[in-house]
Amino acid sequence: MTNHPVISNASKKNRTSFIKIALLGSAALSFSVPAAFAQESAAEDAEAINKLDTIVVTGSRATIQNTIDLKRTNSSIVDGLSAKDIGDLPALSIGEALESITGAASHRENGGATEISIRGLGPFLSATTFNGRVATNGTGDRSVNFSQFPSELMNKLAIYKTQDASLIEGGVAGLIALETLKPLDYNQRRVQFNLTGNYNPDQQNIDNTMAGDLGYRGTLSYVDQFELGGLGQLGFSIGGQRSDISQPEQEMRSSSPSGTSLFACIADATDPDSRGYAASSSGDCEDQGPNSSNNDGYNTTIDPETGLAVDDGLDYAWAGSSRGYRQNDTHDTRDSLFTALQWQPNDRLDINADLQWSERVQNEDRHDLNFSNMKRSVAGDTLDSLVFQDNGVVQSITTQSDIESNGEIYERTEEYLGYGLSGSFDVTDKLTISADYSFSETTRDELQASIRVSSQGGPGSGGRENLSWARDGDGFVNYTVQDFDVTDISNYTDGVRLRVDRDAERRNTVEAIRFDAEYDLGMGPITSVETGFRLSDLEYVSYAATRDEYNASDFDSSSVPCETGFAESGFLSSASDALVTQIDSDGNVVSTTNTWAVFDNQCLVDYILAENGETSLVYPDSDPDSLDNTNVLETTLAGYVMANYDTSLAGKPFSGNFGLRVVDTKVKSLGNRTPVAVITNPVDGTLSLETDGDAVVLFGKGEYTEFLPSFNGTLELRDDILLRAGLFRGMSRADPGNMTFGRDFNENNEEDAPTTIEELISVEGSGNPNFQPLMSWNYDIAAEWYPNDDSILAASIYYKNFTGGFENSTVLEDFIIDGATVTLPVSVTATNEDTAALYGIELTASHNFSYLPGLFSGFGAKVSLNLAESDFEFEDSLYGDLGYRDADGNLIQTNVGILQPGNVPGFSDVVASGQIYYQKGKFDSSLIYKYRSEYFQPYTSNGTRLRYVGDVGVWEARASYDLTENLSLTVSGINLFNAPKEQYFFTNDNLGEVNYYGPRVFFGIKGKF
């Protein structure tokens, strides 16, 4: 056994420091020259403008000009992207576009940007609106999957860093606003198409793919306006897109901490109980000890005699159930339709109707090489070979394991439907009223058929194979296997099994009505007053996963069915030249490989089903009685009043708004509990519990009322220099998936002879309908300099004071058992009154070098940087500091953890982006870099376990050339240098999963008529 100090990941820290210095330095350099020329060039520019006709700016430069104008003209602190035309947003998806905005960063799945964090704060702390309405998703949280929406059908994205009383509540970090154009505001006819091909280099290495070698995206839109004579004006727009692409993925994987498959096993020969790797017999390390039935790993429970953890001082090592690799064949299709109708019968009435629909289907054909017994401790071998760090991260180990060639057929279907009807009416010259009805719904279904075929029996204990694994300098895991050829299909014949799962069936709906009024006072510093209310119902329904299982006879090694070739060349070659090394009994190398023997998944599914008398693959229905089902209804009534002002301060123009928003929320949660009957022993009167009948339906509830004041002010020091200040109280609600009301009844083992129901029953709670929101006071100060239409230099300092961490709390709940009401304690996760702070600085700079001579005049640049710090603490629910708040409100600590707490979910202390663009004549190009430091990313299925996503920097590029006034050629690429996504389990250096997506290239033609 070798115990090493914790590796500090110095290379990562140095890289982060370098990026900070480089970005700040480049920002300073970019503006040192323009600043020197500012006074001189201003007069020259004015003279030139008088001599020239109006110049129409297009492309990258126009987008940046619109972005600067969006920031400059807003009363709040806002960053965004704006384009005049549909399809002109400079990105391949909404996610990619958003993460180019100052302070925004994405979480990546399937190689693309999905959830967005603002100022390093996770998506659950922000809110998203679509045309001013709340957007739904299919995950059970409040984030939005931005890959669901095509950027080609949007024309404005904005992130409100400060908020006013009229904005929909829900974003402590900020509010993301997505907008499509209004056809009458567009004021011209336009037919536009965009046909784009997709070439993924890694896809070319895969044979017989579902998506083919090339993918495509086709977009068509039409905008027009019509005069209706005495009926006013009518505007109409419609846009549709069909996307059919691949999303290749290569993966190193291991058991995650989301369930019960990753443990801190004792790795200490001095352990008096000889548990874990020190056990005298072979077995799974967490089951080696006197309490093996209770997963006898490292015990963090407080010893009352010492006040420390029971196992304080003992060495431990992290051990997961399995490890391996995954090769993926993917196919991703998306159909989208957006349409809008705008009618203005006269100059006082404006009526708008709009609809958005999107359906995305993801299919994956997966092949896994799985080492399934990675918790295995071999007496006399494993402990001596084990090399691990002080924090339990294993560097190498020798053990025994079954080796499996597994497969999965996976499908996810997600459909979004949103529509609304709104109207605005000028009652008088001073009074305007408006109303809005909106509906948004997302459904998600996930289906999976999983196949297991195991090795046939090796020389090790229980027929397992002898092997070892070790990490390289980057934490990547490679294997050495003795006398076993992973590429020989005849080695996989045992344990043949098919699991057919309905993994998810979810529906998230938001329906709302809104009424607003604005009165123009027309005098004094208060220019107008706004007021309104919004009533909304959010419903989230999620059925627990269901499964059917089929077993089949072992294969004959001489005639294994459904063999097929390994489909991908160069698999994981970016990470390792030899994933698996085969040695003989003397340690001599026999072969090395990055492939393994695989089965045709559909063929093997049919084979197993046929052996079980089934003719086709049918997925199981959902179980309405499952205790893990979710049915949450959240009703919110919010009202506000806000005053807009325009006055002077110290002789300078000073404008903005102040107001108050009041939010009243009521939650109803429908759940199930275990059906039980209480049995009384007629001899001694003791009680026992018996499961009986169908699940019992429960109703839980919660409520809260919050007051959210806000203030925004802008001081115009000069025409080109603005000072801003913002203050608001924000709230972020608990995810709907955390407000379930499932309750599981069990016999209380601590009572030997219970005589009352309270002594007999212990309750395990799932979810908390009365989950209170996390609140925050937010303070922002910003300075902005606008030398010209192409340039901005802005800095913001912000501070957030949070109230509310997360802890286990004991609450008393009433249950009806055998006709009588019984009050029982239940432990649930709840928001506490702890406080935490976050502070940071944002820098934004943009400039066009049009004053340079010749070809150099086409260059421009934009950089943004967000640096933040926070003292928020999030404890892991297995190995963190644990406790509960009793019914009297006292905090009782029960466990001393071995893990450092995580920060705010999604928090990155560094977020940065840089763009250099060149636009000259008909040619337009950009090179973009985006960086995000590591962050804590909770699992959707279990948000209480620590998982970190490593820091990543991604390069993108795009270019276009105008063939004519109406036609242009385009090419763009993302993830140009194949930056992987790295995930770390429990600690930020325990690499558990790596995903390589490869670069992706898009090329096409765009037309506007």
Side-chain angles (χ1 to χ4, degrees):
M1 174 186 69
T2 307
N3 191 310
H4 291 289
V6 175
I7 296 175
S8 64
N9 283 331
S11 60
K12 285 191 175 184
K13 300 300 180 184
N14 291 339
R15 192 189 325 165
T16 300
S17 300
F18 172 79
I19 287 171
K20 291 181 183 179
I21 295 168
L23 279 167
L24 288 171
S26 63
L29 277 173
S30 297
F31 283 86
S32 60
V33 174
F37 284 100
Q39 298 296 329
E40 182 179 341
S41 62
E44 295 174 357
D45 289 345
E47 183 179 352
I49 290 171
N50 290 330
K51 294 180 180 179
L52 297 176
D53 294 331
T54 301
I55 298 174
V56 178
V57 178
T58 60
S60 298
R61 185 178 179 185
T63 300
I64 289 180
Q65 284 188 359
N66 292 335
T67 297
I68 292 172
D69 185 65
L70 172 68
K71 184 176 183 68
R72 184 174 188 172
T73 57
N74 208 285
S75 61
S76 302
I77 298 177
V78 175
D79 288 287
L81 282 175
S82 179
K84 181 180 179 182
D85 283 337
I86 297 177
D88 278 358
L89 286 182
L92 291 168
S93 73
I94 295 298
E96 263 87 18
L98 283 168
E99 66 178 350
S100 67
I101 297 173
T102 301
S106 74
H107 177 69
R108 291 184 170 267
E109 294 288 351
N110 302 113
T114 54
E115 300 174 351
I116 297 296
S117 297
I118 302 173
R119 288 178 165 176
L121 294 173
F124 105 98
L125 293 173
S126 62
T128 300
T129 60
F130 200 124
N131 288 337
R133 302 146 181 165
V134 170
T136 55
N137 76 3
T139 61
D141 56 21
R142 297 182 188 270
S143 63
V144 170
N145 182 0
F146 292 102
S147 62
Q148 189 77 7
F149 305 112
S151 61
E152 291 90 339
L153 299 177
M154 300 286 180
N155 76 317
K156 181 180 176 182
L157 313 175
I159 298 179
Y160 290 82
K161 310 293 181 63
T162 63
Q163 299 179 39
D164 64 46
S166 68
L167 294 176
I168 296 175
E169 71 284 345
V172 167
L175 175 72
I176 300 172
L178 314 180
E179 293 185 15
T180 56
L181 63 78
K182 292 184 176 181
L184 285 180
D185 295 347
Y186 189 66
N187 199 33
Q188 61 178 305
R189 176 183 296 169
R190 171 61 54 84
V191 176
Q192 180 171 309
F193 74 88
N194 191 342
L195 182 59
T196 303
N198 171 222
Y199 174 84
N200 299 328
D202 285 5
Q203 184 74 0
Q204 313 312 306
N205 298 330
I206 307 175
D207 297 329
N208 302 316
T209 62
M210 292 187 290
D213 292 339
L214 296 177
Y216 70 90
R217 294 165 61 159
T219 309
L220 180 65
S221 62
Y222 168 68
V223 185
D224 208 345
Q225 303 81 35
F226 307 92
E227 291 289 343
L228 302 180
L231 297 178
Q233 291 180 303
L234 180 70
F236 173 73
S237 67
I238 187 169
Q241 183 186 85
R242 167 71 176 180
S243 174
D244 191 322
I245 62 173
S246 63
Q247 299 196 98
E249 179 180 8
Q250 304 169 12
E251 185 177 333
M252 181 201 87
R253 56 202 314 268
S254 63
S255 297
S256 75
S258 61
T260 55
S261 56
L262 183 59
F263 298 93
C265 285
I266 299 298
D268 198 322
T270 67
D271 176 28
D273 294 322
S274 297
R275 291 169 295 161
Y277 292 114
S280 58
S281 60
S282 298
D284 287 350
C285 61
E286 90 283 8
D287 293 335
Q288 297 285 86
N291 298 311
S292 59
S293 61
N294 295 320
N295 295 324
D296 200 11
Y298 188 99
N299 190 350
T300 62
T301 304
I302 292 177
D303 184 341
E305 295 184 3
T306 65
L308 303 173
V310 169
D311 286 334
D312 181 69
L314 292 179
D315 293 333
Y316 60 90
W318 297 111
S321 296
S322 63
R323 288 184 175 275
Y325 307 109
R326 169 169 289 173
Q327 186 271 329
N328 258 337
D329 178 19
T330 63
H331 189 197
D332 189 319
T333 62
R334 182 181 64 195
D335 296 300
S336 303
L337 176 68
F338 289 15
T339 185
L341 191 68
Q342 185 178 12
W343 179 36
Q344 293 178 350
N346 50 56
D347 59 2
R348 298 172 60 187
L349 180 61
D350 186 4
I351 298 174
N352 290 269
D354 59 272
L355 178 144
Q356 307 84 37
W357 172 81
S358 176
E359 182 181 62
R360 184 183 182 192
V361 181
Q362 297 170 266
N363 288 281
E364 297 183 12
D365 191 32
R366 302 165 172 171
H367 293 95
D368 296 350
L369 178 64
N370 188 50
F371 300 88
S372 60
N373 303 119
M374 290 291 95
K375 298 179 296 180
R376 190 75 179 172
S377 175
V378 180
D381 289 334
T382 301
L383 185 60
D384 293 337
S385 71
L386 190 62
V387 178
F388 61 101
Q389 300 171 184
D390 289 344
N391 65 350
V393 177
V394 175
Q395 295 298 315
S396 63
I397 189 174
T398 297
T399 185
Q400 295 174 347
S401 177
D402 290 326
I403 303 175
E404 300 170 350
S405 178
N406 297 337
E408 290 182 0
I409 299 172
Y410 173 82
E411 178 180 301
R412 173 195 286 177
T413 301
E414 185 160 333
E415 183 177 14
Y416 175 86
L417 175 64
Y419 55 84
L421 177 66
S422 64
S424 174
F425 180 61
D426 295 334
V427 180
T428 68
D429 291 341
K430 293 180 177 295
L431 176 63
T432 299
I433 60 174
S434 60
D436 181 88
Y437 166 80
S438 63
F439 177 88
S440 172
E441 181 175 82
T442 299
T443 59
R444 175 185 287 188
D445 293 303
E446 295 182 27
L447 306 173
Q448 181 171 289
S450 306
I451 310 158
R452 181 196 67 188
V453 187
S454 183
S455 52
Q456 61 181 342
S461 172
R464 297 174 179 85
E465 307 295 336
N466 294 320
L467 61 87
S468 62
W469 63 260
R471 297 183 187 272
D472 62 16
D474 295 322
F476 195 88
V477 172
N478 297 278
Y479 299 83
T480 300
V481 181
Q482 181 181 317
D483 294 326
F484 186 92
D485 183 0
V486 297
T487 66
D488 185 351
I489 196 71
S490 67
N491 284 328
Y492 306 99
T493 61
D494 285 18
V496 182
R497 183 188 67 197
L498 169 63
R499 285 177 170 172
V500 182
D501 296 317
R502 183 176 295 275
D503 277 344
E505 183 179 352
R506 303 182 186 130
R507 175 173 54 85
N508 185 11
T509 305
V510 174
E511 191 171 17
I513 57 171
R514 176 171 179 162
F515 178 84
D516 299 271
E518 181 176 7
Y519 187 78
D520 185 359
L521 297 177
M523 58 180 293
I526 306 299
T527 59
S528 65
V529 176
E530 299 179 43
T531 187
F533 72 87
R534 177 177 180 269
L535 177 64
S536 69
D537 278 339
L538 178 151
E539 184 180 20
Y540 176 67
V541 178
S542 176
Y543 291 100
T546 53
R547 167 177 291 170
D548 290 336
E549 186 169 311
Y550 306 90
N551 294 293
S553 304
D554 293 347
F555 297 150
D556 183 342
S557 61
S558 64
S559 58
V560 177
C562 299
E563 178 185 7
T564 189
F566 192 84
E568 186 165 2
S569 60
F571 177 76
L572 280 176
S573 58
S574 297
S576 174
D577 294 327
L579 299 179
V580 180
T581 298
Q582 180 186 352
I583 61 173
D584 61 23
S585 57
D586 296 324
N588 301 309
V589 174
V590 176
S591 64
T592 61
T593 184
N594 275 38
T595 69
W596 59 94
V598 297
F599 296 89
D600 181 310
N601 285 334
Q602 188 61 58
C603 172
L604 197 50
V605 166
D606 294 339
Y607 178 94
I608 297 172
L609 288 173
E611 186 169 314
N612 284 269
E614 303 289 342
T615 58
S616 62
L617 177 61
V618 178
Y619 290 92
D621 293 330
S622 300
D623 178 9
D625 293 331
S626 173
L627 301 185
D628 295 322
N629 289 346
T630 301
N631 191 335
V632 173
L633 177 64
E634 178 185 82
T635 300
T636 298
L637 176 62
Y640 75 94
V641 60
M642 183 175 75
N644 300 299
Y645 62 89
D646 191 350
T647 182
S648 62
L649 180 65
K652 303 294 183 181
F654 184 53
S655 60
N657 57 69
F658 59 89
L660 175 68
R661 189 175 187 88
V662 181
V663 182
D664 181 74
T665 299
K666 292 180 171 57
V667 176
K668 296 179 181 178
S669 185
L670 178 66
N672 295 323
R673 74 159 173 84
T674 313
V676 296
V678 177
I679 307 301
T680 303
N681 188 318
V683 177
D684 57 12
T686 59
L687 304 180
S688 61
L689 203 61
E690 181 179 286
T691 302
D692 180 32
D694 297 328
V696 178
V697 177
L698 297 176
F699 294 91
K701 61 182 181 179
E703 60 182 325
Y704 50 85
T705 301
E706 299 293 348
F707 295 83
L708 309 177
S710 61
F711 166 83
N712 290 282
T714 301
L715 181 66
E716 188 176 329
L717 292 183
R718 289 189 338 208
D719 288 344
D720 60 345
I721 297 180
L722 304 178
L723 294 181
R724 299 186 191 269
L727 179 153
F728 70 97
R729 187 172 188 246
M731 61 182 289
S732 288
R733 295 184 173 94
D735 293 334
N738 291 331
M739 295 190 291
T740 61
F741 198 53
R743 298 295 183 258
D744 190 10
F745 284 5
N746 298 291
E747 284 200 41
N748 191 347
N749 294 325
E750 296 179 1
E751 295 290 337
D752 293 332
T755 57
T756 66
I757 293 179
E758 289 80 3
E759 293 176 347
L760 172 67
I761 296 177
S762 65
V763 185
E764 292 183 10
S766 172
N768 180 9
N770 198 33
F771 218 133
Q772 299 294 296
L774 186 148
M775 307 300 299
S776 174
W777 282 98
N778 308 270
Y779 310 88
D780 287 71
I781 299 176
E784 301 165 4
W785 178 37
Y786 300 91
N788 52 54
D789 290 344
D790 291 299
S791 303
I792 180 176
L793 180 61
S796 299
I797 299 173
Y798 59 90
Y799 174 78
K800 297 179 181 294
N801 185 23
F802 297 102
T803 299
F806 306 105
E807 67 182 15
N808 289 325
S809 178
T810 299
V811 297
L812 298 177
E813 295 180 352
D814 292 336
F815 301 94
I816 298 176
I817 303 175
D818 289 347
T821 299
V822 180
T823 301
L824 298 172
V826 184
S827 178
V828 297
T829 302
T831 308
N832 59 28
E833 295 298 319
D834 290 351
T835 59
L838 181 146
Y839 53 92
I841 182 171
E842 277 185 342
L843 302 175
T844 302
S846 182
H847 187 67
N848 182 271
F849 299 91
S850 57
Y851 50 83
L852 294 178
L855 294 175
F856 296 103
S857 63
F859 280 105
K862 176 188 175 184
V863 294
S864 65
L865 175 68
N866 182 85
L867 303 175
E869 294 289 342
S870 174
D871 60 1
F872 192 95
E873 293 188 349
F874 189 107
E875 296 288 350
D876 182 83
S877 63
L878 274 183
Y879 292 107
D881 286 346
L882 303 178
Y884 66 93
R885 198 168 295 277
D886 64 21
D888 296 324
N890 301 309
L891 183 62
I892 312 298
Q893 184 172 357
T894 58
N895 299 71
V896 178
I898 54 177
L899 292 176
Q900 293 295 317
N903 212 301
V904 181
F907 174 77
S908 292
D909 58 2
V910 181
V911 175
S913 66
Q915 175 184 356
I916 297 174
Y917 66 91
Y918 182 80
Q919 186 176 353
K920 198 71 174 176
K922 299 178 179 181
F923 181 71
D924 186 4
S925 63
S926 295
L927 179 66
I928 305 111
Y929 178 75
K930 303 171 183 178
Y931 173 80
R932 181 181 189 180
S933 61
E934 71 174 27
Y935 56 99
F936 161 43
Q937 176 76 10
Y939 289 93
T940 302
S941 59
N942 187 342
T944 66
R945 307 287 170 78
L946 293 183
R947 170 182 59 162
Y948 297 94
V949 179
D951 62 323
V952 64
V954 178
W955 290 89
E956 300 178 4
R958 55 178 175 264
S960 65
Y961 181 79
D962 295 334
L963 296 174
T964 69
E965 184 179 351
N966 303 109
L967 294 175
S968 59
L969 298 177
T970 63
V971 62
S972 57
I974 61 175
N975 196 22
L976 296 179
F977 301 106
N978 195 20
K981 183 179 78 172
E982 299 173 335
Q983 299 182 64
Y984 298 83
F985 299 158
F986 282 142
T987 71
N988 64 358
D989 58 349
N990 186 23
L991 184 62
E993 184 172 324
V994 183
N995 307 91
Y996 283 90
Y997 302 111
R1000 306 195 177 175
V1001 180
F1002 296 82
F1003 54 92
I1005 185 168
K1006 181 164 64 174
K1008 300 178 180 179
F1009 303 93

